Coordinates of all heavy atoms in Angstrom, one line a residue:
G266 N -8.2 7.5 13.3 CA -8.2 6.5 14.3 C -8.5 7.1 15.7 O -9.2 6.5 16.5
I268 N -10.2 9.8 16.4 CA -11.6 10.2 16.4 C -12.5 9.0 16.5 O -13.4 9.0 17.4 CB -12.0 11.0 15.2 CG1 -11.3 12.4 15.2 CG2 -13.5 11.2 15.1 CD1 -11.4 13.2 14.0
L269 N -12.2 7.9 15.8 CA -13.0 6.7 15.9 C -12.9 6.1 17.3 O -13.9 5.6 17.8 CB -12.4 5.6 14.9 CG -12.9 5.8 13.4 CD1 -12.1 4.9 12.5 CD2 -14.4 5.5 13.3
Q339 N 2.2 -7.2 19.7 CA 0.9 -6.6 19.5 C 0.6 -5.6 20.6 O 0.2 -4.5 20.4 CB -0.2 -7.6 19.4 CG -0.2 -8.3 18.1 CD -0.6 -7.5 16.9 OE1 0.3 -6.7 16.4 NE2 -1.8 -7.5 16.5
S355 N -13.3 -3.8 15.4 CA -13.9 -3.0 14.3 C -15.2 -3.4 13.8 O -15.7 -2.8 12.9 CB -12.8 -2.9 13.2 OG -12.3 -4.2 12.9
L380 N -1.0 -16.7 13.5 CA -1.3 -17.5 14.7 C -1.6 -18.9 14.4 O -1.1 -19.8 15.1 CB -2.6 -16.8 15.4 CG -2.9 -17.3 16.8 CD1 -1.7 -17.1 17.7 CD2 -4.0 -16.5 17.3
F415 N -10.5 -4.5 24.3 CA -11.8 -3.7 24.6 C -11.8 -3.2 26.0 O -12.2 -2.0 26.2 CB -13.0 -4.7 24.3 CG -14.3 -4.0 24.5 CD1 -14.8 -3.0 23.6 CD2 -15.1 -4.4 25.6 CE1 -16.0 -2.4 23.8 CE2 -16.3 -3.7 25.8 CZ -16.8 -2.8 24.9

Side-chain angles (χ1 to χ4, degrees):
I268 292 170
L269 282 168
Q339 286 293 80
S355 48
L380 193 55
F415 182 69

